[in-house]
Amino acid sequence: MRLHVGCAMWNHTPWRGRFLPHPLPPEERLRSYASWCNAVEGNTTFYATPARSAVESWARQTDPGFRFVVKLPKEITHERRLSGADEELRAFLEAIEPLGPRVHALWVQLPGSFGPGDLGGLAAFLHRLPRSRRYAVEVRHRAFFVDARAERLLARVLAGVDAEWIPFDTTVLFQSPPTSDAERDAWTKKPRVPRRSLALTARPIVRYLGRDSVESTVEGWLPWIETVIGWLREGRSPTVFIHTPDNADALTLARRFHDDVRTRLPELEPLPEPVPAEPPTLF
């Protein structure tokens, strides 16, 4: 029984010297992060296909059981809207090959304008993808969350290729007005949709966004604790990513989420012991 937890990135300035050793060369930063968490969102690949040499470095810094949920480049999902991007997709798949089994799923994040009328394009795209990999889709159009027919149609498309539906739970953020610059920025950028907690596959993936307040973030994830425990007892293998608007404490919060689940399920495999941020002293 194993729960994977992680953050939106593995290198964040507020973590340096506080949670992670500093300074660290780029080729050691992911290794240090991986001593805290056993998964990470591959958000950087949204902006550009990475160099193969960079991906080889990521593989060297993590063990085969570490999970990357790697986002497809925006050129494919947002600019081409899944059409006419075969060359770009081929280049991306070749670039991430060195990660091997660490690629838990390829993440198809779709723009908010991608609605029920676009499902034919999504189905065609998913059916063209190599069957040797797993896929997960994140939608932001409100109809998929409030229109039962649209929800059923999307679930049917995903089930046809054994793809997961990634929920991005922002409900806690929008429960009350923002109280910091980071929260105000998140209010303008994050999707405001109802919470969805139904798994389609044996490997559900959750993105949870709390508040800059640790207490509010922990209180808000309580429904996910129950859901994840249920999934684990069913034999599923979930991955949960913890976000806050400023992400200053996201690294410790991800571990705390894992600890909260493990308190209820002691048989859950523990996370590794983090590398100390500072070297040990003699006195």
Side-chain angles (χ1 to χ4, degrees):
M1 186 179 291
R2 193 175 187 193
L3 165 64
H4 286 75
V5 296
C7 303
M9 73 289 285
W10 64 76
N11 183 36
H12 190 37
T13 300
W15 299 346
R16 297 175 184 174
R18 183 179 171 212
F19 305 130
L20 307 179
H22 183 70
L24 273 179
E27 62 272 14
E28 292 295 328
R29 292 172 184 168
L30 176 53
R31 189 188 314 278
S32 182
Y33 167 91
S35 73
W36 282 79
C37 295
N38 54 6
V40 72
E41 290 184 0
N43 278 295
T44 59
T45 57
F46 179 68
Y47 301 99
T49 294
R52 190 179 177 96
S53 58
V55 180
E56 290 170 347
S57 173
W58 303 347
R60 287 194 297 269
Q61 294 178 64
T62 53
D63 66 50
F66 187 88
R67 285 184 176 176
F68 288 83
V69 178
V70 187
K71 192 184 291 187
L72 290 184
K74 64 179 179 179
E75 183 176 8
I76 298 172
T77 57
H78 287 55
E79 296 171 12
R80 302 288 187 89
R81 295 175 70 88
L82 309 181
S83 177
D86 290 350
E87 287 302 318
E88 291 80 4
L89 178 63
R90 186 177 299 109
F92 178 75
L93 294 176
E94 289 176 357
I96 64 170
E97 277 182 352
L99 289 178
R102 299 164 186 81
V103 178
H104 179 62
L106 293 181
W107 170 15
V108 184
Q109 185 187 76
L110 297 169
S113 60
F114 197 99
D118 299 301
L119 284 177
L122 175 61
F125 177 78
L126 292 174
H127 279 282
R128 290 199 307 271
L129 295 173
R131 296 275 68 82
S132 57
R133 295 189 180 276
R134 292 190 292 270
Y135 303 95
V137 174
E138 179 188 338
V139 291
R140 297 190 169 193
H141 195 290
R142 190 169 180 82
F144 292 120
F145 300 86
V146 299
D147 183 319
R149 182 174 181 274
E151 181 182 5
R152 287 196 303 271
L153 288 173
L154 175 57
R156 188 181 305 163
V157 166
L158 298 179
V161 292
D162 195 30
E164 188 54 79
W165 180 339
I166 301 181
F168 189 15
D169 181 6
T170 62
T171 55
V172 172
L173 174 69
F174 292 112
Q175 276 180 351
S176 58
T179 59
S180 68
D181 288 343
E183 290 187 354
R184 281 185 282 273
D185 184 60
W187 262 53
T188 67
K189 295 178 179 177
K190 303 305 181 184
R192 190 182 300 214
V193 295
R195 178 187 292 124
R196 185 184 186 283
S197 56
L198 295 177
L200 298 182
T201 72
R203 300 175 179 85
I205 301 167
V206 175
R207 306 178 73 219
Y208 167 76
L209 174 62
R211 303 292 293 253
D212 285 338
S213 160
V214 169
E215 293 74 19
S216 297
T217 298
V218 172
E219 181 181 358
W221 75 32
L222 293 179
W224 285 114
I225 296 290
E226 297 301 324
T227 297
V228 166
I229 288 172
W231 285 340
L232 289 164
R233 285 175 172 162
E234 291 169 359
R236 300 181 196 259
S237 181
T239 304
V240 178
F241 295 111
I242 303 298
H243 301 232
T244 66
D246 64 10
N247 282 312
D249 294 302
L251 199 58
T252 54
L253 283 166
R255 289 185 67 91
R256 181 167 176 179
F257 184 93
H258 191 282
D259 288 344
D260 286 358
V261 174
R262 194 162 180 256
T263 297
R264 300 268 302 277
L265 289 178
E267 63 271 34
L268 187 66
E269 183 176 328
L271 291 171
E273 284 299 314
V275 172
E278 298 180 356
T281 60
L282 294 176
F283 304 100

